[in-house]
């Protein structure tokens, strides 16, 4: 899903707005025009425009790469990393100019997205389903590749119809479920703590069992759900 250019395009040292200035310069060199940033911080620029659209560019200082994330309809739908500032500018220009996911990828091929994002773009999911998809995607990012068991747990829980109707909540990778979609969350049933050597099921912090697989731990959670629960409200 993610591609990176071989030769990065460095940013000259500057103030807090150095990345924003460099992005605007790169866009101008390509004959593109970017909107005024909605928020600027050191190494981070956010552009918010019409149609609930948001795009964020973050500079990785360690190796001069640029991460781009695109948001619409309440969900982060696309993500990519590139070593070329001009490519990041192309992605920003496309997304803020109204391009859809496929149009943005055509303009900036390093930007990737999953099939569910296309479905959401065409017919938006509800907040609970968006939360599930976003958490599963986040668990699959390269920075999380050393914890595949976290994504395995999320996918196993999402596959269960009764759990999929509840709001997924995570804290330090532990997964629990809420009957409400907003804070303060209303905890329902057991929680699962995914670990390299097993999946620890807990009830109110008390150890219930340790399962060998994500599916087994989720089965325990489902078996002990209250009869009348969900969908999250």
């Amino acid at each position: 899903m993610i591609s990176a250019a071989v030769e990065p395009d460095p940013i000259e040292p500057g103030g807090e707005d150095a990345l924003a200035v460099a992005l605007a310069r790169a866009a101008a060199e390509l004959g593109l025009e970017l909107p005024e940033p909605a928020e600027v911080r050191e190494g981070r620029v956010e552009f918010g425009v019409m149609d609930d659209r948001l795009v964020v560019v973050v500079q990785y200082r360690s190796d001069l790469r640029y991460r781009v994330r695109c948001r619409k309809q309440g969900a982060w739908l696309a993500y990519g990393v590139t070593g070329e500032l001009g490519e990041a500018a192309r992605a920003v220009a496309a997304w803020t100019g109204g391009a859809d996911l496929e149009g943005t990828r055509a303009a900036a091929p390093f930007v990737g997205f999953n099939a569910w994002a296309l479905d959401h773009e065409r017919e938006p999911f509800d907040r609970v389903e968006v939360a599930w998809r976003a958490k599963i995607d986040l668990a699959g990012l390269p920075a999380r590749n050393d914890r595949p068991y976290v994504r395995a747990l999320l996918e196993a829980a999402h596959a269960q119809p009764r759990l999929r109707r509840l709001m997924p909540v995570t804290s330090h990778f532990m997964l629990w479920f809420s009957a409400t979609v907003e804070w303060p969350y209303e905890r329902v049933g057991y929680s699962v703590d995914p670990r390299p050597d097993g999946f620890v099921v807990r009830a109110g912090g008390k150890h219930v069992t340790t399962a060998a697989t994500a599916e087994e731990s989720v089965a325990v959670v489902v078996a002990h759900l209250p009869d009348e629960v969900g969908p999250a409200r």
Side-chain angles (χ1 to χ4, degrees):
M1 184 173 96
I2 300 166
S3 62
V6 175
E7 296 184 4
D9 183 12
I11 291 178
E12 296 177 2
E16 188 176 78
D17 63 346
L19 177 57
V21 171
L23 270 171
R25 184 173 64 241
E29 290 173 353
L30 294 169
L32 304 171
E33 185 174 350
L34 305 184
E36 286 295 318
E39 182 179 327
V40 175
R41 289 185 243 160
E42 185 175 0
R44 184 182 188 278
V45 186
E46 178 180 305
F47 300 87
V49 292
M50 51 148 193
D51 190 27
D52 189 29
R53 287 171 179 260
L54 184 72
V55 57
V56 175
V57 181
V58 176
Q59 180 189 10
Y60 288 98
R61 290 281 180 185
S62 58
D63 57 6
L64 292 176
R65 294 185 301 160
Y66 310 99
R67 182 185 71 190
V68 178
R69 297 182 72 197
C70 302
R71 182 179 177 89
K72 185 171 70 170
Q73 297 166 182
W76 293 104
L77 300 181
Y79 171 88
V81 176
T82 178
E84 296 185 5
L85 195 57
E87 288 299 295
R90 288 184 190 278
V92 172
W95 191 250
T96 59
D100 60 11
L101 286 168
E102 292 176 325
T104 300
R105 183 168 60 185
F110 76 93
V111 174
F113 47 84
N114 291 326
W116 76 265
L118 288 172
D119 293 337
H120 177 69
E121 185 175 54
R122 293 166 185 149
E123 187 173 347
F125 297 134
D126 62 31
R127 291 179 62 181
V128 173
E129 185 64 15
V130 166
W132 276 107
R133 303 288 186 150
K135 285 184 180 296
I136 291 171
D137 271 6
L138 183 62
L141 291 179
R144 304 290 177 88
N145 279 349
D146 60 337
R147 296 184 177 93
Y149 45 88
V150 174
R151 179 163 183 156
L153 173 60
L154 287 164
E155 290 178 332
H158 181 257
Q160 291 291 330
R162 295 192 69 198
L163 293 180
R164 192 164 59 239
R165 303 194 314 165
L166 299 172
M167 191 72 169
V169 186
T170 52
S171 176
H172 295 87
F173 306 113
M174 182 181 294
L175 173 64
W176 51 279
F177 310 93
S178 171
T180 57
V181 298
E182 294 181 343
W183 182 266
Y185 295 119
E186 183 180 314
R187 186 184 291 264
V188 174
Y190 293 174
S191 61
V192 183
D193 184 6
R195 299 183 176 184
D197 56 351
F199 297 80
V200 181
V201 182
R202 292 194 174 94
K206 182 179 179 180
H207 180 272
V208 174
T209 187
T210 298
T213 68
E215 290 76 13
E216 290 172 0
S217 70
V218 166
V220 174
V221 174
V222 172
H224 291 84
L225 279 176
D227 292 335
E228 299 295 331
V229 63
R233 61 189 186 281

